[in-house]
């Protein structure tokens, strides 16, 4: 479920005043961890088999590397998902992501052309969906992954309604 | 079918119920024009086969054919005839099944023999109307009309081919209808054109020779020459042939597309004419330009030339063969570039200074010239060369973004055309208290971005720009831009 936290500082682009950030579901972290861990461990397994067959130390090193990557990915995904946030304001929607490389996107409701809700099989297993906002610009990269389906549907309807109310044309 | 009595039959007319408007066909010569390339290719293949047959058949003087050769010839001829008939039939059928009509609300097109396709373009969403005449079409006096609506590259309606007069009338009507102009006469009046900028051939050639593409070709050619000398064999030069052809082709395309380029303003929009072999006339209605970019490749500085490009929804970033539609001026002096900018954006919204001063500062200035807000000095740690040019200037109507020390660039985006905004920050920028601001425009060559602003400036710009875009849009004109003013009476403000 999405929890809410209020940011305090201002003057920073990534902590606008008075914005209440909604967080995404921890199910997103589980889903991403599953995919990442399976991929890394499969690579590690392949490298281990190669190490066993060839007896080369390089393959052994590769095995260790992939295991380390899997563990690191586990930790990193947790941080990344915790850093995802969005906020519905009166006239626009804010989407925030990233810790090392941070990004914030502001999409005015009046510029929304349409809103997509996507959920793949893994997403559905973890009870999450992705809401993607589309404006007339292809460079508007505003997607909110990891929303509970009910929240995703609510957000989609709300955004569509607000988009219509604010509609500006091109 | 209430209003079916009035003049709807004689042509596209306003205010007639849509079901009473007559469907029309494209010009009967269309199938020939559209399939001539296939036919020529076929003829060439057949001619080759024929030639081989003749030589293999050892015909003395070509008078009497040996039996076998004769049969093969006849067989080949038969295949040719059948193929021609099939192609011709298909072309004819596709012509037969293509029809269009203009209602008071939309342009409608029906196509397809087996799978029927129906497409409707609402007239108040017109982004641009283009006329194109490839060589052959020009010889027989036909033209292709393309109507761009803002729905990606697949949403355009293309009518090929119409007679020249019909295409012109339709263009004028579509633009008038899109503008919300009502006219009493039978045909839509052609909007008078006012000011124009032309590109002399000499300058076009010069600009191509001084472009980055030419430099690249010269470098590659030199590389091949050196390799050939070092290796002491001509084989390498043979490998250079495809590269040379590609480079030469690209240069030729630029020349052919930019040949005779002319920009004019009419009350129904900006009119661009260009093309050596294929003539094109583009009309972009006022307010349809989403963003403008004036830039200057390094070598053009010798002559102080500039190129102007635009984002128009519907043109996308796509290049239609030889002529990219996004080019507003392939090469021009600084004054011409500024004049073209003022056609697109008659009011830059500068209160205190002269607009020219601000634009000049954007083109060539650095630091805080012309009221620009620039990247702080500490930005040199992440961008030692370019930091002094990174900057933006706000006016009441637009955001000007300036960048590039070697390849200078100025982007102008009207507030009312801002789609969305974003700020990004990498770890190094964070240490230095910097952030990059990006403004998202529709697809096209212009993507305004200011790197390494002070992070509080970027934060303020992000929030304010969205608010500014909203309020600018609220006071902006209607989608049918002529509905508020007198139709075809007032020419747009003439720039100095």
């Amino acid at each position: 479920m999405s929890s809410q936290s209020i940011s305090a500082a201002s003057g920073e682009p990534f902590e606008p005043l008075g914005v209440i950030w909604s967080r995404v579901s921890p199910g997103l972290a589980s889903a991403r961890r599953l995919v990442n861990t399976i991929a890394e461990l499969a690579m590690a397994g392949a490298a281990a088999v190669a190490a066993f067959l060839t007896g080369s130390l390089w393959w052994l090193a590769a095995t260790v590397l992939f295991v380390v990557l899997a563990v690191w990915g586990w930790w990193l995904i947790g941080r990344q998902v915790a850093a995802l946030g969005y906020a519905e304001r009166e006239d626009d929607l804010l989407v925030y992501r990233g810790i090392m490389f941070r990004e914030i996107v502001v999409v005015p409701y009046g510029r929304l052309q349409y809103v997509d809700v996507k959920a793949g099989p893994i997403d559905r297993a973890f009870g999450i969906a992705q809401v993607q906002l589309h404006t007339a610009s292809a460079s508007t990269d505003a997607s909110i992954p990891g929303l509970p389906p009910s929240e995703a549907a609510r957000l989609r309807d709300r955004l569509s309604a607000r988009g219509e109310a604010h509609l500006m044309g091109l | 079918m209430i209003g079916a009595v009035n003049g709807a039959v004689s042509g596209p007319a306003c205010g007639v119920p849509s079901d009473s408007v007559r469907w029309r066909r494209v010009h009967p010569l269309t199938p020939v024009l559209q399939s001539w390339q296939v036919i020529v290719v076929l003829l060439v293949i057949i001619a080759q086969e024929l030639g081989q047959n003749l030589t293999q058949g050892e015909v003395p003087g070509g008078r009497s054919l040996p039996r076998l050769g004769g049969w093969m010839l006849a067989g080949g001829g038969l295949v040719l005839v059948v193929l021609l008939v099939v192609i011709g039939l298909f072309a004819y059928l596709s012509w037969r099944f293509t029809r269009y009509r203009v209602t008071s609300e939309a342009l409608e097109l029906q196509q397809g023999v087996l799978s029927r396709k129906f497409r409707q373009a609402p007239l108040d969403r017109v982004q641009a109307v283009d006329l194109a005449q490839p060589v052959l079409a020009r010889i027989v006096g036909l033209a292709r009309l393309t109507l761009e609506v803002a729905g990606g590259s697949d949403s355009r309606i293309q009518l090929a081919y119409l007679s020249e007069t019909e295409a012109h009338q339709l263009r004028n009507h579509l633009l008038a209808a899109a503008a919300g102009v009502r006219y009493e006469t039978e045909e839509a009046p052609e909007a008078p054109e006012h000011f124009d900028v032309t590109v002399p051939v000499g300058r076009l050639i010069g600009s191509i020779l001084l472009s980055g593409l030419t430099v690249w070709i010269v470098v590659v050619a030199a590389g091949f020459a050196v390799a050939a000398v070092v290796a002491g064999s001509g084989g390498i030069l043979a490998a250079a042939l495809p590269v040379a052809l590609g480079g030469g082709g690209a240069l030729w395309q630029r020349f052919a597309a930019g040949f005779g380029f002319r920009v004019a303003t009419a009350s129904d929009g900006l009119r661009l004419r260009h093309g050596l072999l294929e003539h094109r006339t583009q009309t972009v209605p006022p307010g349809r330009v989403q963003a403008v970019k004036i830039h200057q490749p390094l070598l053009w500085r010798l002559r102080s030339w500039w190129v102007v490009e635009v984002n128009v929804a519907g043109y996308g970033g796509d290049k239609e063969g030889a002529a990219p539609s996004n080019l507003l001026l392939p090469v021009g002096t600084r004054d011409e570039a500024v004049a073209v900018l003022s056609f697109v954006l008659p009011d830059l919204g500068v209160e205190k200074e002269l607009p020219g001063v601000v634009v000049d500062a954007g083109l060539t200035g650095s630091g805080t010239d012309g009221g620009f807000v620039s990247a702080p000095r500490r930005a040199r740690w992440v961008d030692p060369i370019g930091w002094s040019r990174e900057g933006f200037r706000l006016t009441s109507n637009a955001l000007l973004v300036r960048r590039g020390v070697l390849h200078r660039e100025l982007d102008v985006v009207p507030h009312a055309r801002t789609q969305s905004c974003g700020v990004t920050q990498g770890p190094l920028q964070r240490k230095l208290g910097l952030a990059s601001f990006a403004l998202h425009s529709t697809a096209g060559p212009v993507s305004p971005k200011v790197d390494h602003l002070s992070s509080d400036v970027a934060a303020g710009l992000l929030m304010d720009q969205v608010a500014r875009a909203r309020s600018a849009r609220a006071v902006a004109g209607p989608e049918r831009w002529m509905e508020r003013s007198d139709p075809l009476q007032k020419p747009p403000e003439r720039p100095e």
Side-chain angles (χ1 to χ4, degrees):
Chain A
M1 282 290 104
S2 51
S3 61
Q4 298 193 325
S5 63
I6 299 177
S7 66
S10 79
E12 275 290 304
F14 301 99
E15 285 123 37
L17 261 184
V19 169
I20 301 168
W21 292 105
S22 304
R23 299 291 168 190
V24 302
S25 156
L28 179 66
S30 313
R32 286 190 179 172
R33 276 172 178 158
L34 178 75
V35 173
N36 184 63
T37 309
I38 287 176
E40 299 288 2
L41 289 185
M43 300 288 273
V49 170
F52 180 73
L53 291 179
T54 61
S56 154
L57 278 181
W58 287 109
W59 284 115
L60 197 67
T63 313
V64 173
L65 178 72
F66 283 121
V67 172
V68 169
L69 277 179
V71 174
W72 182 64
W74 189 277
W75 170 79
L76 185 70
I77 286 168
R79 264 168 66 91
Q80 279 176 342
V81 168
L84 275 171
Y86 65 97
E88 289 171 80
R89 299 201 304 178
E90 200 180 328
D91 300 303
D92 42 44
L93 183 97
L94 308 184
V95 183
Y96 172 86
R97 75 171 73 89
I99 297 170
M100 276 274 272
F101 293 87
R102 299 195 290 185
E103 186 180 0
I104 187 167
V105 177
V106 188
V107 185
Y109 295 131
R111 287 307 190 196
L112 282 177
Q113 298 288 329
Y114 61 99
V115 180
D116 265 348
V117 178
K118 285 185 282 194
I122 298 175
D123 290 346
R124 282 204 299 276
F126 285 93
I128 50 170
Q130 178 181 358
V131 173
Q132 172 104 43
L133 279 63
H134 295 270
T135 69
S137 167
S139 38
T140 302
D141 180 18
S143 62
I144 313 170
L147 293 174
S150 58
E151 167 70 4
R154 186 199 66 82
L155 191 61
R156 179 199 59 205
D157 294 344
R158 187 116 164 232
L159 289 175
S160 306
R162 285 186 164 171
E164 260 165 45
H166 286 75
L167 189 66
M168 302 174 185
L170 274 181
Chain B
M1 297 288 280
I2 304 160
V5 198
N6 66 19
V9 200
S10 62
C14 275
V16 180
S18 58
D19 50 351
S20 69
V21 181
R22 194 165 61 100
W23 284 97
R24 301 161 141 252
R25 288 225 171 85
V26 294
H27 198 274
L29 272 177
T30 302
V32 182
L33 279 181
Q34 281 181 335
S35 53
W36 73 271
Q37 280 161 319
V38 187
I39 292 174
V40 165
V41 169
L42 258 179
L43 285 178
V44 168
I45 293 173
I46 298 293
Q48 275 179 351
E49 289 293 315
L50 218 71
Q52 272 183 4
N53 281 351
L54 284 177
T55 48
Q56 279 166 5
E58 293 154 11
V59 192
R63 295 189 56 196
S64 63
L65 292 165
R67 207 154 250 198
L68 191 64
W71 279 115
M72 280 174 70
L73 204 64
L78 197 68
V79 169
L80 170 69
V81 168
V82 168
L83 272 176
L84 280 182
V85 166
V86 167
I87 293 169
L89 194 71
F90 187 78
Y92 168 75
L93 279 177
S94 85
W95 169 76
R96 197 58 223 270
F97 281 83
T98 301
R99 51 183 205 163
Y100 73 95
R101 65 176 185 178
V102 193
T103 68
S104 54
E105 291 303 316
L107 173 63
E108 298 172 349
L109 176 69
Q110 247 180 9
Q111 272 179 313
V113 182
L114 295 175
S115 64
R116 306 281 286 149
K117 197 167 81 178
F118 176 78
R119 186 169 279 185
Q120 197 178 33
L123 293 186
D124 57 352
R125 286 300 168 114
V126 168
Q127 302 295 319
V129 185
D130 297 351
L131 296 181
Q133 288 188 288
V135 185
L136 217 63
R138 210 160 84 213
I139 293 168
V140 290
L142 299 183
R144 182 177 67 221
L145 184 140
T146 310
L147 179 77
E148 302 280 0
V149 288
S153 61
D154 210 29
S155 65
R156 62 173 62 108
I157 284 189
Q158 212 167 61
L159 299 178
Y161 287 88
L162 308 175
S163 76
E164 253 169 54
T165 46
E166 200 183 354
H168 272 98
Q169 278 171 19
L170 185 59
R171 196 258 319 264
N172 297 338
H173 171 75
L174 290 173
L175 288 166
V181 172
R182 311 265 155 180
Y183 49 87
E184 305 302 321
T185 47
E186 186 104 333
E187 288 153 14
E190 175 128 357
E193 292 172 16
H194 292 288
F195 185 90
D196 60 344
V197 172
T198 50
V199 179
V201 184
R203 191 193 296 162
L204 180 68
I205 294 172
S207 75
I208 294 171
L209 290 180
L210 289 177
S211 70
L213 181 64
T214 312
V215 173
W216 184 85
I217 289 173
V218 168
V219 168
V220 171
F224 271 114
V226 169
V229 168
V230 169
S233 79
I236 289 167
L237 289 180
L241 194 67
V243 182
L245 281 178
L251 290 180
W252 167 254
Q253 278 200 348
R254 276 196 196 184
F255 174 72
F259 185 84
F261 208 100
R262 222 181 112 201
V263 191
T265 51
S267 56
D268 59 1
L270 203 62
R271 204 154 287 163
L272 314 174
R273 291 198 174 76
H274 54 105
L276 177 64
L277 299 175
E278 175 173 321
H279 279 193
R280 292 189 65 187
T281 309
Q282 298 170 245
T283 308
V284 181
R288 257 50 169 184
V289 170
Q290 305 278 333
V292 188
K293 169 162 109 174
I294 308 179
H295 61 123
Q296 181 180 52
L298 184 60
L299 289 178
W300 287 19
R301 232 179 253 199
L302 298 171
R303 311 303 305 264
S304 99
W305 285 334
W306 298 84
V307 51
V308 186
E309 289 180 276
V310 288
N311 284 359
V312 171
Y315 279 160
D318 63 348
K319 294 193 160 85
E320 285 172 16
S325 321
N326 301 79
L327 216 49
L328 211 58
L329 184 67
V331 54
T333 61
R334 183 202 283 230
D335 290 346
E336 286 169 352
V338 173
V340 169
L341 173 66
S342 63
F343 297 164
V344 181
L345 270 176
D347 183 12
L348 206 56
V350 185
E351 282 99 20
K352 279 178 280 177
E353 313 98 314
L354 287 167
V357 174
V358 175
V359 174
D360 273 359
L363 292 176
T364 55
S366 63
T368 53
D369 301 353
F372 271 78
V373 178
S374 76
R377 202 174 158 73
R378 59 182 184 276
R380 71 188 186 279
W381 294 108
V382 269
D383 188 1
I385 297 168
W387 71 275
S388 63
R389 281 268 301 158
E390 294 288 343
F392 69 93
R393 159 79 207 239
L394 277 166
T395 72
S396 54
N397 285 347
L399 177 72
L400 284 75
V401 168
R402 174 192 75 183
R403 62 189 302 140
V405 167
L406 298 178
H407 189 134
R408 292 164 172 163
E409 178 180 333
L410 172 70
D411 300 339
V412 185
V413 187
H415 293 320
R417 304 281 163 237
T418 305
Q419 294 294 331
S420 64
C421 302
V423 165
T424 56
Q425 187 180 50
L428 218 62
Q429 286 183 314
R430 194 174 178 187
K431 283 259 167 15
L432 294 164
L434 303 170
S436 299
F437 170 83
L439 197 146
H440 308 139
S441 177
T442 55
V446 196
S447 44
K449 189 170 185 234
V450 204
D451 277 327
H452 316 313
L453 284 172
S454 176
S455 56
D456 52 338
V457 172
L461 184 58
L462 177 69
M463 292 307 163
D464 295 349
Q465 194 54 30
V466 179
R468 249 179 241 117
R470 192 165 47 240
S471 50
R473 188 59 210 181
V475 298
E479 208 74 17
R480 296 198 145 142
W481 66 92
M482 280 290 193
E483 270 174 354
R484 288 209 305 206
S485 52
D486 299 331
L488 305 182
Q489 298 288 315
K490 267 192 301 186
E493 285 167 71
R494 207 170 304 186
E496 289 308 305

